[in-house]
Amino acid sequence: GAGVSQSPSNKVTEKGKDVELRCDPISGHTALYWYRQSLGQGLEFLIYFQGNSAPDKSGLPSDRFSAERTGGSVSTLTIQRTQQEDSAVYLCASSRRRGSYNEQFFGPGTRLTVL
Amino acid sequence: AQTVTQSQPEMSVQEAETVTLSCTYDTSESDYYLFWYKQPPSRQMILVIRQEAYKQQNATENRFSVNFQKAAKSFSLKISDSQLGDAAMYFCASGAFGNEKLTFGTGTRLTIIP
């Protein structure tokens, strides 16, 4: 079946603009995660959705970052008033259910460049 | 809280040889998992191998195996018979049971020399 997909693949924007990044998880996966990968760094957790539960937003770096997940499927990560330090690859992952061990399947990421 | 440290930014190995990538971690969790992910230039993160902390036996997946030293909080990855397709960034990660977010190290870039 299809894997996790993300769009756009690359996004170039000007400082101060808002951007929206999209993630389509694997069908049937109830958990969805967003991570940020800055140059030369590992992946940094941003936010986690599980079913209809309140999301875990503990990794969001500032109130300029927000995310939503509609209908328990597609998710959108929004960054308002982008700054140059927001430049990074944003990776989305999904997994089947909460609890026990569940492999996270990653999408190809969106490379965001803020000029 | 969890931390993961990879002290080797870059490694290289001759094709068909064996290479070991190092990883140390720290966690306050009693029930946790450890992972090695591979990230080729396509950016797609691929799970290579995982280890449940409660298992004493080291995990193996074909040419990939780990050396899990729980007391030392060490989790190294051994790649045997290295192939050109193994060239990638390798990330060590940890996750706790019931706490879904993964904590990643900064990665090791592996180069395979033909």
Side-chain angles (χ1 to χ4, degrees):
Chain A
V4 177
S5 60
Q6 293 186 245
S7 60
S9 178
N10 293 282
K11 176 71 176 180
V12 180
T13 190
E14 293 180 348
K15 178 182 174 181
K17 301 281 189 180
D18 297 351
V19 295
E20 287 188 349
L21 312 179
R22 177 187 169 104
C23 172
D24 283 89
I26 293 172
S27 178
H29 281 195
T30 58
L32 187 147
Y33 316 78
W34 283 98
Y35 294 88
R36 177 170 71 175
Q37 184 177 21
S38 302
L39 186 63
Q41 300 295 316
L43 277 68
E44 170 192 9
F45 167 79
L46 295 177
I47 189 169
Y48 158 62
F49 295 90
Q50 171 58 50
N52 296 321
S53 301
D56 177 352
K57 304 179 182 179
S58 60
L60 294 178
S62 77
D63 59 8
R64 295 186 296 104
F65 288 72
S66 63
E68 64 177 17
R69 189 177 184 193
T70 55
S73 181
V74 173
S75 177
T76 301
L77 176 69
T78 301
I79 308 173
Q80 296 178 309
R81 305 181 302 281
T82 52
Q83 303 295 312
Q84 289 184 330
E85 60 263 29
D86 299 334
S87 296
V89 174
Y90 290 83
L91 290 160
C92 175
S94 69
S95 67
R96 279 183 299 171
R97 61 177 173 82
R98 187 176 192 174
S100 185
Y101 164 72
N102 292 290
E103 179 181 348
Q104 293 185 24
F105 293 84
F106 284 81
T110 294
R111 182 179 297 280
L112 174 66
T113 303
V114 182
L115 301 177
Chain B
Q2 300 180 69
T3 60
V4 177
T5 302
Q6 293 179 253
S7 59
Q8 305 157 314
E10 296 184 352
M11 290 282 285
S12 61
V13 63
Q14 293 276 353
E15 190 176 3
E17 297 295 309
T18 296
V19 64
T20 299
L21 308 183
S22 301
C23 172
T24 58
Y25 65 93
D26 196 9
T27 181
S28 56
E29 304 289 342
S30 58
D31 193 359
Y32 58 93
Y33 305 91
L34 298 164
F35 309 87
W36 278 97
Y37 279 88
K38 170 184 177 181
Q39 186 181 42
S42 67
R43 297 199 307 243
Q44 190 97 35
M45 296 285 284
I46 302 164
L47 180 64
V48 174
I49 198 167
R50 66 175 174 90
Q51 173 85 40
E52 290 90 340
Y54 65 85
K55 290 187 178 179
Q56 293 185 340
Q57 186 173 8
N58 288 327
T60 62
E61 287 288 342
N62 300 312
R63 297 182 296 106
F64 299 87
S65 62
V66 299
N67 183 3
F68 175 44
Q69 301 290 327
K70 191 172 184 179
K73 296 185 177 177
S74 171
F75 183 62
S76 60
L77 174 69
K78 185 172 80 171
I79 305 174
S80 304
D81 185 25
S82 298
Q83 301 176 1
L84 294 178
D86 295 334
M89 284 289 290
Y90 285 81
F91 291 95
C92 180
S94 68
F97 178 84
N99 183 350
E100 312 298 336
K101 51 198 171 190
L102 297 178
T103 301
F104 287 83
T106 52
T108 297
R109 181 176 302 280
L110 179 64
T111 301
I112 310 297
I113 303 167

PDB file of all heavy atoms in Angstrom, chain A residues 68-99:
ATOM      1  N   GLU A  68      -2.957  20.764  12.899  1.00  0.00           N
ATOM      2  CA  GLU A  68      -4.271  20.162  13.070  1.00  0.00           C
ATOM      3  C   GLU A  68      -4.342  18.881  12.269  1.00  0.00           C
ATOM      4  O   GLU A  68      -3.572  18.680  11.330  1.00  0.00           O
ATOM      5  CB  GLU A  68      -5.379  21.127  12.648  1.00  0.00           C
ATOM      6  CG  GLU A  68      -5.374  21.506  11.177  1.00  0.00           C
ATOM      7  CD  GLU A  68      -6.552  22.403  10.816  1.00  0.00           C
ATOM      8  OE1 GLU A  68      -7.171  22.982  11.718  1.00  0.00           O
ATOM      9  OE2 GLU A  68      -6.839  22.504   9.618  1.00  0.00           O
ATOM     10  N   ARG A  69      -5.275  18.060  12.677  1.00  0.00           N
ATOM     11  CA  ARG A  69      -5.485  16.800  11.970  1.00  0.00           C
ATOM     12  C   ARG A  69      -6.988  16.660  11.756  1.00  0.00           C
ATOM     13  O   ARG A  69      -7.751  16.558  12.720  1.00  0.00           O
ATOM     14  CB  ARG A  69      -4.958  15.614  12.779  1.00  0.00           C
ATOM     15  CG  ARG A  69      -4.965  14.327  11.989  1.00  0.00           C
ATOM     16  CD  ARG A  69      -4.371  13.191  12.768  1.00  0.00           C
ATOM     17  NE  ARG A  69      -4.317  11.994  11.933  1.00  0.00           N
ATOM     18  CZ  ARG A  69      -4.074  10.783  12.388  1.00  0.00           C
ATOM     19  NH1 ARG A  69      -3.833  10.598  13.686  1.00  0.00           N
ATOM     20  NH2 ARG A  69      -4.034   9.753  11.577  1.00  0.00           N
ATOM     21  N   THR A  70      -7.395  16.645  10.510  1.00  0.00           N
ATOM     22  CA  THR A  70      -8.810  16.621  10.182  1.00  0.00           C
ATOM     23  C   THR A  70      -9.274  15.198   9.939  1.00  0.00           C
ATOM     24  O   THR A  70      -8.634  14.433   9.193  1.00  0.00           O
ATOM     25  CB  THR A  70      -9.082  17.482   8.934  1.00  0.00           C
ATOM     26  OG1 THR A  70      -8.241  17.017   7.869  1.00  0.00           O
ATOM     27  CG2 THR A  70      -8.766  18.937   9.216  1.00  0.00           C
ATOM     28  N   GLY A  71     -10.398  14.842  10.570  1.00  0.00           N
ATOM     29  CA  GLY A  71     -11.002  13.534  10.346  1.00  0.00           C
ATOM     30  C   GLY A  71     -10.110  12.384  10.720  1.00  0.00           C
ATOM     31  O   GLY A  71     -10.277  11.259  10.228  1.00  0.00           O
ATOM     32  N   GLY A  72      -9.154  12.630  11.595  1.00  0.00           N
ATOM     33  CA  GLY A  72      -8.265  11.562  12.021  1.00  0.00           C
ATOM     34  C   GLY A  72      -7.328  11.085  10.938  1.00  0.00           C
ATOM     35  O   GLY A  72      -6.735   9.999  11.061  1.00  0.00           O
ATOM     36  N   SER A  73      -7.173  11.872   9.872  1.00  0.00           N
ATOM     37  CA  SER A  73      -6.313  11.439   8.781  1.00  0.00           C
ATOM     38  C   SER A  73      -5.280  12.509   8.446  1.00  0.00           C
ATOM     39  O   SER A  73      -4.282  12.629   9.141  1.00  0.00           O
ATOM     40  CB  SER A  73      -7.159  11.089   7.558  1.00  0.00           C
ATOM     41  OG  SER A  73      -6.340  10.638   6.492  1.00  0.00           O
ATOM     42  N   VAL A  74      -5.552  13.322   7.453  1.00  0.00           N
ATOM     43  CA  VAL A  74      -4.599  14.311   6.962  1.00  0.00           C
ATOM     44  C   VAL A  74      -4.260  15.329   8.044  1.00  0.00           C
ATOM     45  O   VAL A  74      -5.125  15.738   8.827  1.00  0.00           O
ATOM     46  CB  VAL A  74      -5.187  15.036   5.729  1.00  0.00           C
ATOM     47  CG1 VAL A  74      -4.301  16.187   5.304  1.00  0.00           C
ATOM     48  CG2 VAL A  74      -5.380  14.048   4.589  1.00  0.00           C
ATOM     49  N   SER A  75      -2.988  15.733   8.084  1.00  0.00           N
ATOM     50  CA  SER A  75      -2.554  16.740   9.033  1.00  0.00           C
ATOM     51  C   SER A  75      -1.882  17.893   8.298  1.00  0.00           C
ATOM     52  O   SER A  75      -1.224  17.684   7.265  1.00  0.00           O
ATOM     53  CB  SER A  75      -1.586  16.133  10.044  1.00  0.00           C
ATOM     54  OG  SER A  75      -1.100  17.126  10.947  1.00  0.00           O
ATOM     55  N   THR A  76      -2.052  19.085   8.858  1.00  0.00           N
ATOM     56  CA  THR A  76      -1.401  20.278   8.321  1.00  0.00           C
ATOM     57  C   THR A  76      -0.616  20.941   9.437  1.00  0.00           C
ATOM     58  O   THR A  76      -1.148  21.194  10.520  1.00  0.00           O
ATOM     59  CB  THR A  76      -2.438  21.274   7.767  1.00  0.00           C
ATOM     60  OG1 THR A  76      -3.205  20.643   6.746  1.00  0.00           O
ATOM     61  CG2 THR A  76      -1.740  22.496   7.190  1.00  0.00           C
ATOM     62  N   LEU A  77       0.656  21.205   9.154  1.00  0.00           N
ATOM     63  CA  LEU A  77       1.510  21.960  10.074  1.00  0.00           C
ATOM     64  C   LEU A  77       1.618  23.375   9.521  1.00  0.00           C
ATOM     65  O   LEU A  77       1.995  23.553   8.360  1.00  0.00           O
ATOM     66  CB  LEU A  77       2.896  21.318  10.167  1.00  0.00           C
ATOM     67  CG  LEU A  77       3.939  22.050  11.034  1.00  0.00           C
ATOM     68  CD1 LEU A  77       3.558  21.965  12.508  1.00  0.00           C
ATOM     69  CD2 LEU A  77       5.322  21.445  10.824  1.00  0.00           C
ATOM     70  N   THR A  78       1.255  24.344  10.337  1.00  0.00           N
ATOM     71  CA  THR A  78       1.287  25.745   9.907  1.00  0.00           C
ATOM     72  C   THR A  78       2.344  26.495  10.692  1.00  0.00           C
ATOM     73  O   THR A  78       2.422  26.372  11.921  1.00  0.00           O
ATOM     74  CB  THR A  78      -0.087  26.406  10.131  1.00  0.00           C
ATOM     75  OG1 THR A  78      -1.085  25.697   9.383  1.00  0.00           O
ATOM     76  CG2 THR A  78      -0.065  27.857   9.677  1.00  0.00           C
ATOM     77  N   ILE A  79       3.144  27.247   9.975  1.00  0.00           N
ATOM     78  CA  ILE A  79       4.133  28.116  10.600  1.00  0.00           C
ATOM     79  C   ILE A  79       3.791  29.547  10.196  1.00  0.00           C
ATOM     80  O   ILE A  79       3.780  29.887   9.008  1.00  0.00           O
ATOM     81  CB  ILE A  79       5.574  27.780  10.168  1.00  0.00           C
ATOM     82  CG1 ILE A  79       5.862  26.287  10.355  1.00  0.00           C
ATOM     83  CG2 ILE A  79       6.571  28.614  10.965  1.00  0.00           C
ATOM     84  CD1 ILE A  79       7.212  25.842   9.794  1.00  0.00           C
ATOM     85  N   GLN A  80       3.493  30.375  11.171  1.00  0.00           N
ATOM     86  CA  GLN A  80       3.138  31.771  10.905  1.00  0.00           C
ATOM     87  C   GLN A  80       4.370  32.657  11.035  1.00  0.00           C
ATOM     88  O   GLN A  80       5.278  32.378  11.822  1.00  0.00           O
ATOM     89  CB  GLN A  80       2.059  32.221  11.891  1.00  0.00           C
ATOM     90  CG  GLN A  80       0.750  31.471  11.749  1.00  0.00           C
ATOM     91  CD  GLN A  80      -0.273  31.918  12.782  1.00  0.00           C
ATOM     92  OE1 GLN A  80       0.003  31.973  13.969  1.00  0.00           O
ATOM     93  NE2 GLN A  80      -1.477  32.250  12.315  1.00  0.00           N
ATOM     94  N   ARG A  81       4.375  33.703  10.242  1.00  0.00           N
ATOM     95  CA  ARG A  81       5.454  34.718  10.321  1.00  0.00           C
ATOM     96  C   ARG A  81       6.818  34.027  10.339  1.00  0.00           C
ATOM     97  O   ARG A  81       7.602  34.189  11.273  1.00  0.00           O
ATOM     98  CB  ARG A  81       5.261  35.584  11.558  1.00  0.00           C
ATOM     99  CG  ARG A  81       3.895  36.236  11.639  1.00  0.00           C
ATOM    100  CD  ARG A  81       3.747  37.118  12.888  1.00  0.00           C
ATOM    101  NE  ARG A  81       3.962  36.379  14.138  1.00  0.00           N
ATOM    102  CZ  ARG A  81       3.073  35.604  14.707  1.00  0.00           C
ATOM    103  NH1 ARG A  81       1.882  35.433  14.138  1.00  0.00           N
ATOM    104  NH2 ARG A  81       3.346  34.996  15.843  1.00  0.00           N
ATOM    105  N   THR A  82       7.087  33.268   9.303  1.00  0.00           N
ATOM    106  CA  THR A  82       8.297  32.448   9.266  1.00  0.00           C
ATOM    107  C   THR A  82       9.558  33.275   9.501  1.00  0.00           C
ATOM    108  O   THR A  82       9.668  34.435   9.081  1.00  0.00           O
ATOM    109  CB  THR A  82       8.422  31.704   7.933  1.00  0.00           C
ATOM    110  OG1 THR A  82       8.302  32.644   6.855  1.00  0.00           O
ATOM    111  CG2 THR A  82       7.371  30.628   7.800  1.00  0.00           C
ATOM    112  N   GLN A  83      10.504  32.626  10.161  1.00  0.00           N
ATOM    113  CA  GLN A  83      11.820  33.204  10.435  1.00  0.00           C
ATOM    114  C   GLN A  83      12.873  32.332   9.766  1.00  0.00           C
ATOM    115  O   GLN A  83      12.633  31.157   9.464  1.00  0.00           O
ATOM    116  CB  GLN A  83      12.069  33.246  11.936  1.00  0.00           C
ATOM    117  CG  GLN A  83      11.021  34.018  12.719  1.00  0.00           C
ATOM    118  CD  GLN A  83      11.012  35.493  12.369  1.00  0.00           C
ATOM    119  OE1 GLN A  83      12.056  36.131  12.339  1.00  0.00           O
ATOM    120  NE2 GLN A  83       9.832  36.047  12.097  1.00  0.00           N
ATOM    121  N   GLN A  84      14.064  32.873   9.577  1.00  0.00           N
ATOM    122  CA  GLN A  84      15.123  32.125   8.910  1.00  0.00           C
ATOM    123  C   GLN A  84      15.492  30.873   9.695  1.00  0.00           C
ATOM    124  O   GLN A  84      15.842  29.840   9.095  1.00  0.00           O
ATOM    125  CB  GLN A  84      16.349  33.004   8.677  1.00  0.00           C
ATOM    126  CG  GLN A  84      16.122  34.056   7.602  1.00  0.00           C
ATOM    127  CD  GLN A  84      17.352  34.874   7.304  1.00  0.00           C
ATOM    128  OE1 GLN A  84      18.194  35.085   8.176  1.00  0.00           O
ATOM    129  NE2 GLN A  84      17.444  35.370   6.082  1.00  0.00           N
ATOM    130  N   GLU A  85      15.377  30.906  10.999  1.00  0.00           N
ATOM    131  CA  GLU A  85      15.710  29.721  11.805  1.00  0.00           C
ATOM    132  C   GLU A  85      14.690  28.601  11.664  1.00  0.00           C
ATOM    133  O   GLU A  85      14.916  27.494  12.165  1.00  0.00           O
ATOM    134  CB  GLU A  85      15.880  30.087  13.284  1.00  0.00           C
ATOM    135  CG  GLU A  85      14.655  30.685  13.930  1.00  0.00           C
ATOM    136  CD  GLU A  85      14.697  32.198  13.974  1.00  0.00           C
ATOM    137  OE1 GLU A  85      15.326  32.803  13.087  1.00  0.00           O
ATOM    138  OE2 GLU A  85      14.091  32.757  14.914  1.00  0.00           O
ATOM    139  N   ASP A  86      13.577  28.892  10.987  1.00  0.00           N
ATOM    140  CA  ASP A  86      12.589  27.841  10.732  1.00  0.00           C
ATOM    141  C   ASP A  86      13.010  26.959   9.553  1.00  0.00           C
ATOM    142  O   ASP A  86      12.391  25.916   9.307  1.00  0.00           O
ATOM    143  CB  ASP A  86      11.213  28.439  10.426  1.00  0.00           C
ATOM    144  CG  ASP A  86      10.654  29.266  11.572  1.00  0.00           C
ATOM    145  OD1 ASP A  86      11.038  29.001  12.738  1.00  0.00           O
ATOM    146  OD2 ASP A  86       9.848  30.173  11.311  1.00  0.00           O
ATOM    147  N   SER A  87      14.021  27.369   8.825  1.00  0.00           N
ATOM    148  CA  SER A  87      14.501  26.578   7.689  1.00  0.00           C
ATOM    149  C   SER A  87      14.969  25.212   8.177  1.00  0.00           C
ATOM    150  O   SER A  87      15.823  25.114   9.066  1.00  0.00           O
ATOM    151  CB  SER A  87      15.660  27.293   6.980  1.00  0.00           C
ATOM    152  OG  SER A  87      15.234  28.509   6.414  1.00  0.00           O
ATOM    153  N   ALA A  88      14.392  24.172   7.606  1.00  0.00           N
ATOM    154  CA  ALA A  88      14.667  22.806   8.047  1.00  0.00           C
ATOM    155  C   ALA A  88      13.880  21.849   7.158  1.00  0.00           C
ATOM    156  O   ALA A  88      13.090  22.272   6.310  1.00  0.00           O
ATOM    157  CB  ALA A  88      14.251  22.604   9.505  1.00  0.00           C
ATOM    158  N   VAL A  89      14.099  20.562   7.375  1.00  0.00           N
ATOM    159  CA  VAL A  89      13.238  19.541   6.770  1.00  0.00           C
ATOM    160  C   VAL A  89      12.210  19.134   7.815  1.00  0.00           C
ATOM    161  O   VAL A  89      12.563  18.814   8.953  1.00  0.00           O
ATOM    162  CB  VAL A  89      14.049  18.317   6.315  1.00  0.00           C
ATOM    163  CG1 VAL A  89      13.112  17.215   5.822  1.00  0.00           C
ATOM    164  CG2 VAL A  89      15.031  18.713   5.221  1.00  0.00           C
ATOM    165  N   TYR A  90      10.956  19.162   7.426  1.00  0.00           N
ATOM    166  CA  TYR A  90       9.863  18.786   8.324  1.00  0.00           C
ATOM    167  C   TYR A  90       9.363  17.405   7.914  1.00  0.00           C
ATOM    168  O   TYR A  90       8.890  17.207   6.803  1.00  0.00           O
ATOM    169  CB  TYR A  90       8.756  19.829   8.279  1.00  0.00           C
ATOM    170  CG  TYR A  90       9.197  21.123   8.938  1.00  0.00           C
ATOM    171  CD1 TYR A  90       9.953  22.052   8.228  1.00  0.00           C
ATOM    172  CD2 TYR A  90       8.911  21.377  10.272  1.00  0.00           C
ATOM    173  CE1 TYR A  90      10.406  23.217   8.827  1.00  0.00           C
ATOM    174  CE2 TYR A  90       9.354  22.545  10.882  1.00  0.00           C
ATOM    175  CZ  TYR A  90      10.102  23.454  10.161  1.00  0.00           C
ATOM    176  OH  TYR A  90      10.559  24.600  10.765  1.00  0.00           O
ATOM    177  N   LEU A  91       9.496  16.461   8.850  1.00  0.00           N
ATOM    178  CA  LEU A  91       9.153  15.068   8.574  1.00  0.00           C
ATOM    179  C   LEU A  91       7.882  14.681   9.326  1.00  0.00           C
ATOM    180  O   LEU A  91       7.705  15.045  10.490  1.00  0.00           O
ATOM    181  CB  LEU A  91      10.290  14.142   8.991  1.00  0.00           C
ATOM    182  CG  LEU A  91      11.552  14.227   8.134  1.00  0.00           C
ATOM    183  CD1 LEU A  91      12.748  13.678   8.878  1.00  0.00           C
ATOM    184  CD2 LEU A  91      11.374  13.468   6.838  1.00  0.00           C
ATOM    185  N   CYS A  92       7.071  13.927   8.667  1.00  0.00           N
ATOM    186  CA  CYS A  92       5.839  13.409   9.252  1.00  0.00           C
ATOM    187  C   CYS A  92       5.967  11.884   9.340  1.00  0.00           C
ATOM    188  O   CYS A  92       6.605  11.251   8.486  1.00  0.00           O
ATOM    189  CB  CYS A  92       4.661  13.795   8.368  1.00  0.00           C
ATOM    190  SG  CYS A  92       3.073  13.107   8.861  1.00  0.00           S
ATOM    191  N   ALA A  93       5.395  11.307  10.374  1.00  0.00           N
ATOM    192  CA  ALA A  93       5.399   9.853  10.515  1.00  0.00           C
ATOM    193  C   ALA A  93       4.036   9.401  11.026  1.00  0.00           C
ATOM    194  O   ALA A  93       3.309  10.179  11.658  1.00  0.00           O
ATOM    195  CB  ALA A  93       6.499   9.400  11.477  1.00  0.00           C
ATOM    196  N   SER A  94       3.685   8.158  10.755  1.00  0.00           N
ATOM    197  CA  SER A  94       2.444   7.612  11.300  1.00  0.00           C
ATOM    198  C   SER A  94       2.694   6.199  11.821  1.00  0.00           C
ATOM    199  O   SER A  94       3.648   5.532  11.414  1.00  0.00           O
ATOM    200  CB  SER A  94       1.323   7.613  10.247  1.00  0.00           C
ATOM    201  OG  SER A  94       1.566   6.678   9.215  1.00  0.00           O
ATOM    202  N   SER A  95       1.853   5.784  12.747  1.00  0.00           N
ATOM    203  CA  SER A  95       1.931   4.415  13.257  1.00  0.00           C
ATOM    204  C   SER A  95       0.529   3.923  13.563  1.00  0.00           C
ATOM    205  O   SER A  95      -0.425   4.698  13.632  1.00  0.00           O
ATOM    206  CB  SER A  95       2.830   4.319  14.495  1.00  0.00           C
ATOM    207  OG  SER A  95       2.259   5.014  15.587  1.00  0.00           O
ATOM    208  N   ARG A  96       0.412   2.625  13.796  1.00  0.00           N
ATOM    209  CA  ARG A  96      -0.908   1.998  13.810  1.00  0.00           C
ATOM    210  C   ARG A  96      -1.752   2.377  15.015  1.00  0.00           C
ATOM    211  O   ARG A  96      -2.905   2.718  14.902  1.00  0.00           O
ATOM    212  CB  ARG A  96      -0.756   0.478  13.754  1.00  0.00           C
ATOM    213  CG  ARG A  96      -0.511  -0.042  12.354  1.00  0.00           C
ATOM    214  CD  ARG A  96      -0.436  -1.543  12.361  1.00  0.00           C
ATOM    215  NE  ARG A  96       0.654  -2.007  13.199  1.00  0.00           N
ATOM    216  CZ  ARG A  96       0.845  -3.279  13.519  1.00  0.00           C
ATOM    217  NH1 ARG A  96      -0.006  -4.194  13.096  1.00  0.00           N
ATOM    218  NH2 ARG A  96       1.852  -3.638  14.286  1.00  0.00           N
ATOM    219  N   ARG A  97      -1.207   2.266  16.190  1.00  0.00           N
ATOM    220  CA  ARG A  97      -2.028   2.516  17.369  1.00  0.00           C
ATOM    221  C   ARG A  97      -1.135   2.845  18.545  1.00  0.00           C
ATOM    222  O   ARG A  97       0.070   2.682  18.509  1.00  0.00           O
ATOM    223  CB  ARG A  97      -2.880   1.297  17.692  1.00  0.00           C
ATOM    224  CG  ARG A  97      -2.070   0.044  17.998  1.00  0.00           C
ATOM    225  CD  ARG A  97      -2.944  -1.129  18.388  1.00  0.00           C
ATOM    226  NE  ARG A  97      -2.164  -2.340  18.506  1.00  0.00           N
ATOM    227  CZ  ARG A  97      -1.455  -2.670  19.573  1.00  0.00           C
ATOM    228  NH1 ARG A  97      -1.413  -1.851  20.598  1.00  0.00           N
ATOM    229  NH2 ARG A  97      -0.782  -3.811  19.613  1.00  0.00           N
ATOM    230  N   ARG A  98      -1.768   3.276  19.592  1.00  0.00           N
ATOM    231  CA  ARG A  98      -1.032   3.674  20.781  1.00  0.00           C
ATOM    232  C   ARG A  98      -0.689   2.459  21.610  1.00  0.00           C
ATOM    233  O   ARG A  98      -1.383   1.460  21.583  1.00  0.00           O
ATOM    234  CB  ARG A  98      -1.900   4.625  21.604  1.00  0.00           C
ATOM    235  CG  ARG A  98      -1.191   5.234  22.781  1.00  0.00           C
ATOM    236  CD  ARG A  98      -2.088   6.231  23.460  1.00  0.00           C
ATOM    237  NE  ARG A  98      -1.356   7.024  24.417  1.00  0.00           N
ATOM    238  CZ  ARG A  98      -1.879   8.050  25.072  1.00  0.00           C
ATOM    239  NH1 ARG A  98      -3.126   8.390  24.844  1.00  0.00           N
ATOM    240  NH2 ARG A  98      -1.170   8.731  25.917  1.00  0.00           N
ATOM    241  N   GLY A  99       0.368   2.547  22.352  1.00  0.00           N
ATOM    242  CA  GLY A  99       0.704   1.489  23.285  1.00  0.00           C
ATOM    243  C   GLY A  99       1.570   0.427  22.664  1.00  0.00           C
ATOM    244  O   GLY A  99       1.602   0.250  21.459  1.00  0.00           O
TER     245      GLY A  99
END
